[in-house]
Amino acid sequence: MELDPNEMTPVINRIKRARGQLDGVLRMLEDGRDCEDVVTQLAAVSRALDRAGFAIVATGLQQCLSNGDDMDSVDVKKMEKLFLSLA
């Protein structure tokens, strides 16, 4: 299943923000910042990436269903594996 780049714009923006946050985490580590602050920012990056992943999987599933495919033609095991890989 190929993803429509136009529908991925919000996901791309989320990942770019996460990349910026991750750069910030690296700077914090290099500057010797407080452990709690670093972990808090790292958790925010992780959540942003998880949400991006879920949005990608959900968009793919939605595309399958909106293209007239029924649930029998959707590879449920593959979709389940994608969801679980993000869990």
Side-chain angles (χ1 to χ4, degrees):
M1 134 188 47
E2 291 185 27
L3 298 170
D4 180 355
N6 295 325
E7 291 185 26
M8 290 292 100
T9 300
V11 175
I12 291 167
N13 291 337
R14 183 183 301 271
I15 292 172
K16 286 180 179 179
R17 278 193 307 275
R19 181 175 54 188
Q21 287 176 303
L22 187 55
D23 288 340
V25 169
L26 287 171
R27 282 190 302 276
M28 292 172 77
L29 288 168
E30 292 168 347
D31 294 343
R33 295 278 301 272
D34 181 66
C35 174
E36 185 177 349
D37 294 338
V38 173
V39 171
T40 298
Q41 286 304 308
L42 197 54
V45 172
S46 180
R47 281 191 306 273
L49 292 175
D50 286 345
R51 287 181 180 174
F54 285 124
I56 290 168
V57 173
T59 299
L61 182 57
Q62 183 180 19
Q63 284 179 354
C64 285
L65 296 176
S66 67
N67 288 338
D69 298 340
D70 58 25
M71 283 305 290
D72 293 332
S73 67
V74 175
D75 188 342
V76 175
K77 287 290 184 192
K78 184 184 236 181
M79 297 304 287
E80 179 181 0
K81 185 177 178 180
L82 287 172
F83 273 112
L84 291 175
S85 72
L86 295 168

